[in-house]
Amino acid sequence: SLLRPCLFYDVTHGRESHRGGSVSYQNIHEAHFALQLYELLQRVTELAGIKVSVGIITPYKLQLKCLHREFDVVLKSDEGKGLFIITVDAFQSQEHD
């Protein structure tokens, strides 16, 4: 049930913010939740003996930077080779599990 085709989570305690006069948005709580969800997904798929590629997409460049900071350790590991964090525009015509 964790791997449904489309699933939305409402991070009710998260708040969008700007940084340094930017018109872009970031939400640190959502980035942290995404990391927790990713780690859960990795544990479940590892127990099932399957490997998946994961795409995390965001419309905001500032949120992209926030996600990269949150996932820094994962992205620098072998596990991070199947993880793609990009903007909506950059994701077009790509597929991930």
Side-chain angles (χ1 to χ4, degrees):
S1 64
L2 181 64
L3 300 174
R4 293 185 180 150
C6 186
L7 202 57
F8 295 91
Y9 293 93
D10 185 8
V11 182
T12 57
H13 63 281
R15 297 287 176 257
E16 291 179 340
S17 62
H18 295 281
R19 212 172 71 182
S22 172
V23 295
S24 189
Y25 291 97
Q26 71 175 2
N27 187 317
I28 296 167
H29 292 95
E30 285 180 356
H32 183 70
F33 179 78
L35 176 61
Q36 291 176 321
L37 189 59
Y38 174 79
E39 289 171 341
L40 174 62
L41 176 66
Q42 290 303 312
R43 286 193 301 273
V44 169
T45 56
E46 185 177 323
L47 288 173
I50 58 175
K51 212 164 171 59
V52 295
S53 63
V54 176
I56 299 175
I57 58 174
T58 177
Y60 305 115
K61 289 183 180 180
L62 196 54
Q63 184 69 1
L64 178 70
K65 291 177 184 178
C66 184
L67 285 161
H68 276 273
R69 282 191 308 271
E70 193 70 32
F71 280 82
D72 185 58
V73 172
V74 175
L75 289 167
K76 290 179 179 175
S77 70
D78 285 340
E79 176 188 324
K81 291 179 181 172
L83 174 63
F84 303 89
I85 304 173
I86 50 183
T87 62
V88 173
D89 291 340
F91 191 79
Q92 288 182 15
S93 77
Q94 294 189 38
E95 289 186 18
H96 299 284
D97 301 315

